[in-house]
Amino acid sequence: MSGTANLAPMLLALGAAFCFALALILTQFGLRTMPSWRSPLYSIGGALVVAWMAALVFVDWRTFDLDAALIFAGVGCIFPVVVSILSVRSNERLGPAVAGAVGNVTPIFAVLGAVLFLGEHLGLLQLVGLAMVVGGVALLALRGGTGGRHWSVWVLGLPLAAALVRGAIQPAIKTGLALWPEPLAAAAIGYALSSVVIVSLVGRRALREGPAMRSGVLWFLGVGFANGSATFLLYAALGLGSITIVAPLVALFPLMGVVMSFFFLRGEQLHVLGLTGILMSVAGVIILLMAAT
């Protein structure tokens, strides 16, 4: 794939990264007025409405492919619902900077899946780049990140698990898009199944505890819109480009989240190791892109 052909999936992947980072920041505001267990009801529900409104208008349903739809539905049972639950919990415990930074290991899982199941290949430079991304994450998390937060080691497993799910679904989505190249339909179908899962998990408890605060609902509807936009952009990028190009760029979202949190969330201050980790991760992503183009 030429450098010019790579431009569209690169821009889409960067857009997805920005929207994922925006969702991290909005989540912090929402958590001030709503418990974390309840928030995915509104973030996933909001994204569902937006995705289906757009899909009904822009998707050519005459080209519907059942096998692809089943793949999208299967993915929807775990993504984005599982990632939403894990992300909001890790954001609550770690803060957006560290929670997002640990998510930078997503390219490892995504690229590994592409190599194992889709026959994509990695060169030496790409392996070096991936190693630098992981090293940058290690530095970001080494001293607890920002704002004087403290946590047990096991809490880091929350964003790691989210990264694993986020990376693991990308080869499946790319397979589905090869059969039916409609990323908006993929997002809409996935969110429909995720909505069923989250309602079955916490819907009864939410009804029992009564209405949520209006401000919290609005914040998490915003989270849902940001995540829904990110998911669509991610799927569109995967439909046009290689996972080895798309995944590293989407993995920039934690770095964008760190910058946003510095400006919009007081107390989220970077230490020297954190800044070094960011620079190392960015260098790793650049190396990955140079090797892929």
Side-chain angles (χ1 to χ4, degrees):
M1 185 178 289
S2 67
T4 302
N6 282 337
L7 182 59
M10 285 180 178
L11 292 176
L12 290 168
L14 285 172
F18 175 81
C19 290
F20 278 131
L22 179 61
L24 283 174
I25 304 304
L26 295 178
T27 295
Q28 279 294 307
F29 289 103
L31 286 172
R32 297 173 183 176
T33 57
M34 181 181 294
S36 58
W37 65 265
R38 187 168 192 157
S39 61
L41 276 173
Y42 305 100
S43 61
I44 293 176
L48 170 71
V49 172
V50 172
W52 273 100
M53 288 178 61
L56 291 175
V57 174
F58 296 110
V59 172
D60 184 3
W61 293 97
R62 294 170 299 179
T63 61
F64 177 82
D65 185 281
L66 179 60
D67 291 336
L70 290 175
I71 291 174
F72 301 148
V75 170
C77 291
I78 59 172
F79 180 84
V81 61
V82 172
V83 171
S84 295
I85 295 170
L86 293 171
S87 295
V88 74
R89 288 292 291 150
S90 60
N91 203 334
E92 180 181 43
R93 298 293 296 272
L94 302 171
V98 175
V102 179
N104 243 351
V105 301
T106 295
I108 301 294
F109 302 123
V111 172
L112 181 61
V115 171
L116 292 176
F117 302 112
L118 300 182
E120 296 190 16
H121 300 285
L122 291 176
L124 178 61
L125 280 179
Q126 289 171 308
L127 291 173
V128 171
L130 288 172
M132 292 181 69
V133 170
V134 174
V137 170
L139 288 177
L140 278 165
L142 189 60
R143 287 178 52 191
T146 60
R149 296 173 184 265
H150 300 282
W151 55 79
S152 301
V153 174
W154 71 265
V155 178
L156 291 174
L158 296 172
L160 283 173
L164 172 60
V165 174
R166 192 182 287 113
I169 61 93
Q170 292 185 29
I173 288 296
K174 189 166 181 64
T175 300
L177 290 173
L179 299 173
W180 186 26
E182 288 285 0
L184 192 50
I189 293 171
Y191 270 106
L193 270 295
S194 281
S195 296
V196 172
V197 172
I198 194 62
V199 169
S200 67
L201 290 175
V202 302
R204 182 176 298 179
R205 180 180 177 184
L207 287 174
R208 186 169 61 248
E209 298 198 7
M213 289 184 62
R214 181 173 179 271
S215 58
V217 172
L218 292 176
W219 280 119
F220 280 105
L221 286 176
V223 171
F225 179 78
N227 277 330
S229 299
T231 300
F232 165 67
L233 291 170
L234 169 62
Y235 289 1
L238 289 172
L240 295 175
S242 166
I243 289 178
T244 54
I245 293 176
V246 172
L249 277 175
V250 174
L252 282 173
F253 84 87
L255 310 182
M256 296 180 183
V258 168
V259 175
M260 290 183 186
S261 66
F262 182 79
F263 286 104
F264 298 111
L265 298 173
R266 294 184 178 182
E268 298 290 341
Q269 302 297 318
L270 290 173
H271 50 63
V272 175
L273 285 179
L275 181 59
T276 304
I278 290 175
L279 294 175
M280 182 180 292
S281 294
V282 170
V285 171
I286 291 173
I287 289 174
L288 281 166
L289 292 176
M290 290 176 59
T293 55

